[in-house]
């Protein structure tokens, strides 16, 4: 429905585009509208709200329970397929089209995982056979000599943490709380990963130097570790240092070459595998451990340990730490899933992913495994090497199984410094985030600050506390943005019904006698005072004007010698015929998403104060939620509901017509006393 009545031309004329110029440092003077002598008629918009059915909470709950308890073959089929999607896609698997890509990508990723998995075992302070894929090594601290040695106890703690993380993830999936991932922004996750990378790099530095240092954990472990390193740097093993430098000189260029040529290469060059084989042979035949006392991987047993339940007595001690691991693992998995889903045109169900990652932790926890999640590097390799389905993961698992059963003992002479270098080289993606900071700063300074706060707190305090600090700071930034949002007066584009900020654009026209104010944020208890102060600053302070009027009345009463009642009448008449600069304020509510009780009271207070000095306040473009809040808060009486408008133009036209007809709304209570 058009808000402006125009006569239709017989011949169609194409609309002209509107071009707004941004305001520079100084604002140009704006021309005022020329008021017509005659009143322009306008049509008010009237919309009937949808009738909401009366809902009884008891009946609503019963209806929901009946619906959820209904059983049918279709519903059972959907539940099973939703819980086990492999039953849906596996029967439709195109063997000829997809099998080659799945086998190739599975083999390549399996080969890449062997040296990296052995390297990651150092992060958990464990034997290489346990090849960890998580960073919960800070939990493995106090061995119990009564039960088993340090390594044995650490594995028990790790598997217990894994079990609890999986339980949390399955519980979150059951209660449909996949939405928690929205609180982990890209900037926050990026900062967290970079901060955690510094922690990992610090933990591997001693292996590169061949130092034997006490293990540091908890708050400030990064700083403590570096203090230990510099205090003992004179004990550096020269052989380990030379090996580390040689591995770095080989791995870094070849990794970069892989990155640059990944579009041309059918498969990435497994550089880590070549380095591990060469280093193992050199260490074995050169007898580096015997001659130079280098630290080596040692005996790596083959086969599987019998399954064992997690230690239930440890659950109270690790329950809190498992929360952070479960949320991080889920967030990273969902983020990667959504990234590739957008690229390949499918959708991701966050709660289904929660179930998947949860059971991938619960079941392996009985087999001495560590917490797991998706990995960006491996996923990119899988995609670039032709992966088509989850069958690729089966092939990768078979490669690792072969290593565990047969090949593992061959890595006996491998230096730990080589594994440390492999770990550090694989952190380069996270550390390269520093190159993106100038671009991030240009796009969003707030996101850059969130990145820095999360990164520094994750690195300098601890990974768990760093994540919590990042989330809290992100939420604080959201609140901060709404605490002092943009507030401006609007002008109209010539020959249009478009209103924009006069502080942002040039050549906008201000309507004589009308101030149009826009507040770009929800109006609630945090920013209610800022709303008032901004409005008063852009227009005038009605409280001060009212006080000045009362003061003027008192002053005149004292000076005049006529009767008090006569003077009151005279002053009242004089003031009533002494108009202010404007007669109407239109509040553009299009950017106000919601109101709370404090916001409604603020609007009532503002309206009352302005009406006390003869200025009417009109609200325009309120969304249905805001209209409902105003209705429940009794902002308008029944006879005043026409003061809410569906557009700024409609409100402006109403105010214009009212003034031209001399039918301006006169507020109650405009009286003065001598007290």
């Amino acid at each position: 429905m058009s808000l402006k009545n125009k006569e239709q031309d017989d011949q169609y004329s194409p609309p002209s585009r509107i071009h707004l110029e941004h305001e520079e440092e100084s604002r140009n003077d704006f021309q005022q509208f020329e008021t017509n002598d005659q009143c322009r008629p306008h049509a008010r918009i009237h919309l009937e709200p949808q009738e909401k059915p009366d809902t009884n909470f008891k009946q609503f709950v019963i209806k929901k329970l009946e619906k959820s308890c209904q059983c049918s073959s279709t519903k059972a089929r959907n539940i099973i397929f939703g819980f086990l999607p492999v039953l849906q896609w596996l029967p439709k698997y195109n063997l000829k089209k997809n099998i080659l890509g799945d086998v190739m990508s599975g083999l390549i990723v399996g080969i890449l995982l062997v040296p990296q998995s052995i390297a990651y075992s150092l992060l958990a302070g464990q034997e290489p056979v346990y090849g960890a894929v998580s960073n919960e090594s800070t939990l493995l601290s106090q061995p119990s000599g009564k039960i088993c040695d340090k390594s044995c106890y650490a594995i028990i703690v790790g598997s217990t943490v894994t079990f609890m993380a999986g339980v949390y993830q399955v519980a979150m999936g059951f209660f449909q709380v996949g939405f928690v991932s929205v609180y982990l922004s890209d900037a926050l996750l990026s900062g967290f990963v970079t901060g955690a990378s510094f922690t990992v790099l610090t933990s591997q530095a001693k292996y590169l130097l061949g130092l034997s240092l006490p293990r540091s954990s908890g708050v400030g472990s990064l700083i403590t570790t570096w203090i230990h390193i510099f205090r003992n740097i004179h004990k550096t093993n020269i052989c380990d240092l030379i090996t580390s430098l040689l591995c770095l000189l080989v791995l870094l260029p070849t990794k970069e070459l892989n990155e640059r040529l990944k579009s041309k290469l059918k498969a990435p060059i497994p550089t880590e595998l070549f380095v591990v084989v060469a280093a193992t042979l050199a260490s074995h035949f050169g007898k580096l451990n015997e001659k130079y006392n280098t630290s080596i991987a040692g005996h790596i047993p083959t086969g599987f340990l019998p399954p064992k339940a997690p230690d239930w007595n440890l659950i109270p001690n690790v329950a809190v730490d498992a929360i952070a691991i479960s949320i991080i693992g889920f967030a990273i998995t969902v983020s990667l899933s959504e990234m590739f889903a957008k690229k390949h045109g499918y959708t991701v169900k966050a709660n289904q992913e929660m179930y998947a990652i949860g059971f991938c932790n619960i079941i392996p926890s009985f087999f001495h495994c560590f917490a797991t999640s998706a990995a960006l590097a491996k996923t990119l390799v899988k995609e670039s090497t032709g992966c088509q389905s989850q069958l690729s993961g089966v092939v990768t698992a078979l490669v690792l199984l072969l290593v565990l059963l047969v090949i593992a003992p061959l890595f006996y002479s491998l230096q730990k410094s080589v594994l440390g270098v492999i770990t550090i080289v694989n952190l380069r993606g996270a550390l390269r985030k520093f190159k993106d900071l100038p671009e991030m700063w240009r796009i969003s300074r707030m996101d850059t600050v969130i990145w820095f706060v999360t990164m520094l707190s994750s690195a300098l305090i601890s990974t768990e506390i760093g994540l919590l600090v990042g989330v809290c700071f992100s939420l604080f930034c959201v609140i901060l943005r709404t605490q002092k949002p943009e507030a401006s007066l609007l002008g109209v584009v010539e020959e249009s019904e478009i209103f924009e900020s006069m502080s942002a654009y040039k050549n906008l026209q201000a309507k004589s006698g009308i101030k149009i104010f826009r507040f770009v944020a929800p109006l609630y208890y945090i920013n209610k005072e800022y709303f008032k102060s901004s409005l008063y600053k852009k227009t005038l302070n009605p409280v001060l004007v009212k006080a000045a009027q009362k003061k003027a009345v008192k002053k005149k009463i004292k000076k005049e010698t006529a009767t008090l009642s006569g003077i009151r009448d005279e002053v009242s008449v004089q003031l009533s015929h002494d108009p202010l600069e404007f007669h109407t304020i239109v509040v553009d509510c299009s950017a106000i998403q919601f109101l709370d009780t404090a916001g409604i009271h603020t609007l009532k207070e503002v309206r009352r104060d302005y009406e006390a000095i003869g200025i009417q306040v009109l609200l325009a473009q309120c969304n249905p939620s805001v209209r409902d809040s105003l209705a429940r808060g009794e902002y308008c009486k029944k006879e005043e509901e026409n003061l809410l408008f569906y557009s700024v133009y409609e409100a402006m036209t109403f105010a214009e017509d009212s003034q031209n007809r001399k039918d301006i709304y006169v507020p109650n209570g405009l009286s003065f006393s001598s007290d």
Side-chain angles (χ1 to χ4, degrees):
M1 180 176 181
S2 176
L3 304 180
K4 188 174 181 182
N5 295 328
K6 294 183 178 179
E7 296 181 359
Q8 301 289 338
D9 296 329
D10 295 334
Q11 192 173 8
Y12 172 78
S13 59
S16 59
R17 293 296 302 275
I18 296 172
H19 176 72
L20 299 179
E21 292 186 23
H22 280 282
E23 180 64 46
E24 297 177 354
E25 293 182 0
S26 60
R27 184 190 304 175
N28 295 335
D29 295 334
F30 301 103
Q31 297 178 347
Q32 303 291 326
F33 273 144
E34 295 181 359
T35 56
N36 299 324
D37 294 332
Q38 295 182 348
C39 176
R40 292 182 297 171
H42 71 282
R44 290 297 305 273
I45 299 174
H46 296 285
L47 297 178
E48 281 190 50
Q50 292 279 2
E51 293 185 6
K52 297 181 180 179
D54 296 332
T55 55
N56 184 285
F57 182 74
K58 183 178 179 181
Q59 293 178 351
F60 175 78
V61 172
I62 293 174
K63 186 177 179 181
K64 283 287 185 183
L65 289 175
E66 288 178 350
K67 185 177 180 181
S68 61
C69 293
Q70 288 176 353
C71 187
S72 64
S73 58
T74 304
K75 186 175 181 180
R77 179 175 174 273
N78 291 335
I79 291 175
I80 294 173
F81 283 169
F83 194 74
L84 298 171
V86 64
L87 300 177
Q88 193 169 10
W89 63 262
L90 188 58
K92 302 176 183 178
Y93 185 80
N94 190 326
L95 193 65
K96 292 182 179 180
K97 182 180 178 181
N98 299 331
I99 189 64
L100 182 60
D102 283 337
V103 171
M104 286 299 298
S105 65
L107 284 172
I108 292 167
V109 173
I111 292 171
L112 291 175
L113 274 175
V114 172
Q116 290 182 8
S117 297
I118 296 174
Y120 289 155
S121 66
L122 299 180
L123 290 177
Q126 292 306 300
E127 297 175 4
V129 71
Y130 291 106
V133 281
S134 65
N135 188 27
E136 72 275 39
S137 57
T138 55
L139 303 173
L140 315 178
S141 54
Q142 297 179 352
S144 175
K146 297 180 180 179
I147 302 176
C148 58
D149 61 7
K150 178 180 178 180
S151 176
C152 172
Y153 182 77
I155 291 300
I156 293 174
V157 176
S159 60
T160 306
V161 172
T162 302
F163 174 80
M164 287 305 301
V167 169
Y168 287 142
Q169 288 163 341
V170 171
M172 288 189 287
F174 178 79
F175 290 107
Q176 305 288 296
V177 291
F179 65 89
V180 296
S181 60
V182 303
Y183 293 102
L184 302 173
S185 65
D186 292 340
L188 186 148
L189 282 175
S190 175
F192 172 78
V193 170
T194 304
S197 297
F198 279 112
T199 304
V200 174
L201 187 151
T202 300
S203 69
Q204 299 303 296
K206 63 180 181 181
Y207 296 111
L208 271 65
L209 301 174
L211 297 176
S212 179
L213 301 176
R215 189 178 187 85
S216 300
S217 61
V219 176
S221 60
L222 181 140
I223 298 174
T224 305
T225 301
W226 280 109
I227 291 174
H228 288 316
I229 289 174
F230 284 112
R231 283 179 177 175
N232 295 275
I233 200 167
H234 61 282
K235 300 178 182 178
T236 298
N237 188 301
I238 302 300
C239 183
D240 280 328
L241 179 60
I242 294 173
T243 303
S244 301
L245 293 174
L246 290 174
C247 291
L248 281 172
L249 290 175
V250 173
L251 284 173
L252 282 176
T254 52
K255 280 284 190 179
E256 292 299 322
L257 190 64
N258 263 338
E259 293 270 334
R260 294 177 182 273
L261 300 179
K262 63 181 178 181
S263 60
K264 298 179 180 179
L265 294 173
K266 292 184 178 180
I269 303 170
T271 314
E272 290 106 328
L273 186 63
F274 296 153
V275 168
V276 166
V277 172
T280 303
L281 293 174
S283 176
H284 174 73
F285 291 105
K287 297 182 179 181
L288 301 182
N289 178 250
E290 293 83 351
K291 292 182 178 180
Y292 305 105
N293 196 29
T294 59
S295 180
I296 59 175
H299 175 64
I300 303 176
T302 57
F304 291 99
L305 295 174
K308 184 179 180 180
D311 190 340
W312 311 119
N313 295 324
L314 286 175
I315 289 179
N317 298 328
V318 302
V320 175
D321 301 275
I323 294 175
I325 294 174
S326 63
I327 294 176
I328 295 166
F330 165 71
I332 294 175
T333 301
V334 171
S335 299
L336 290 178
S337 301
E338 290 179 346
M339 182 176 75
F340 287 99
K342 291 176 183 177
K343 186 174 182 179
H344 295 285
Y346 60 90
T347 58
V348 173
K349 297 179 180 178
N351 291 306
Q352 187 183 56
E353 294 294 320
M354 194 88 81
Y355 280 127
I357 194 70
F359 283 110
C360 280
N361 283 323
I362 291 177
I363 296 174
S365 69
F366 289 84
F367 296 89
H368 315 280
C369 293
F370 289 88
T372 185
S373 68
L376 176 60
K378 314 304 182 299
T379 310
L380 288 172
V381 170
K382 273 185 175 290
E383 184 202 30
S384 63
T385 52
C387 175
Q388 300 294 323
S389 71
Q390 287 93 327
L391 282 181
S392 174
V394 176
V395 178
T396 300
L398 291 175
V399 173
L400 294 177
L401 180 64
L402 180 64
V403 172
L404 285 173
L405 296 179
V406 180
I407 304 176
L410 299 179
F411 296 104
Y412 176 88
S413 299
L414 178 62
Q415 291 174 262
K416 289 185 179 180
S417 59
V418 177
L419 302 177
V421 170
I422 292 174
T423 303
I424 291 174
V425 169
N426 282 295
L427 297 176
R428 72 194 193 288
L431 298 176
R432 264 193 297 214
K433 294 291 182 181
F434 285 97
K435 288 170 43 178
D436 301 332
L437 289 181
E439 180 70 11
M440 187 188 298
W441 179 263
R442 186 183 64 82
I443 296 173
S444 173
R445 295 184 177 183
M446 191 67 74
D447 281 349
T448 310
V449 174
I450 292 173
W451 188 93
F452 264 110
V453 169
T454 308
M455 184 272 295
L456 291 174
S457 57
S458 299
L460 300 179
I461 304 175
S462 71
T463 51
E464 296 85 359
I465 297 177
L467 180 66
L468 179 62
V469 170
V471 172
C472 294
F473 186 75
S474 297
L475 296 176
F476 172 74
C477 289
V478 173
I479 296 173
L480 191 65
R481 290 177 181 180
T482 62
Q483 185 178 7
K484 290 189 175 181
E486 180 185 352
S488 58
L489 291 180
L490 306 184
V492 65
V493 180
E494 189 176 3
E495 297 182 357
S496 75
E497 299 174 5
I498 297 175
F499 295 83
E500 273 301 342
S501 170
M502 293 196 297
S503 61
Y505 297 101
K506 295 181 178 180
N507 303 324
L508 299 178
Q509 296 176 332
K511 181 63 180 174
S512 177
I514 301 175
K515 299 286 186 181
I516 304 172
F517 177 76
R518 177 187 288 167
F519 191 72
V520 189
L523 181 54
Y524 63 127
Y525 70 99
I526 288 179
N527 59 19
K528 61 184 179 67
E529 292 300 327
Y530 183 75
F531 173 84
K532 288 172 59 178
S533 62
S534 300
L535 179 59
Y536 293 168
K537 184 178 180 181
K538 300 290 183 182
T539 57
L540 55 81
N541 191 325
V543 178
L544 297 180
V545 173
K546 180 72 173 177
Q549 289 177 344
K550 287 186 177 182
K551 187 176 181 180
V553 171
K554 290 181 180 180
K555 190 174 181 180
K556 285 195 175 185
I557 291 175
K558 291 180 180 179
K559 288 184 178 181
E560 295 293 335
T561 56
T563 61
L564 184 61
S565 59
I567 291 178
R568 281 181 179 173
D569 293 339
E570 180 184 349
V571 172
S572 298
V573 171
Q574 183 179 355
L575 288 175
S576 65
H577 291 285
D578 186 18
L580 296 169
E581 180 185 353
F582 56 94
H583 55 78
T584 302
I585 292 177
V586 178
V587 180
D588 180 3
C589 302
S590 58
I592 299 179
Q593 297 98 329
F594 64 87
L595 297 171
D596 67 352
T597 306
I600 296 172
H601 288 328
T602 300
L603 287 177
K604 286 182 178 179
E605 183 181 348
V606 165
R607 181 185 173 194
R608 184 187 67 244
D609 291 344
Y610 276 109
E611 286 178 346
I613 59 172
I615 296 175
Q616 64 177 351
V617 177
L618 309 178
L619 304 185
Q621 295 193 168
C622 301
N623 64 48
S625 171
V626 172
R627 281 180 168 267
D628 289 342
S629 299
L630 292 172
R632 290 194 300 269
E634 298 181 347
Y635 174 79
C636 291
K637 299 178 182 177
K638 281 291 183 182
E639 61 273 12
E640 297 172 338
E641 289 183 353
N642 63 339
L643 298 183
L644 297 179
F645 298 85
Y646 288 99
S647 73
V648 175
Y649 185 83
E650 184 189 17
M652 186 190 73
T653 309
F654 172 85
E656 206 175 20
D657 293 345
S658 300
Q659 180 70 6
N660 289 337
R661 292 196 307 267
K662 306 300 182 182
D663 190 21
I664 301 177
Y665 176 72
V666 179
N668 296 325
L670 185 59
S671 60
F672 308 104
S673 64
S674 59
D675 296 332

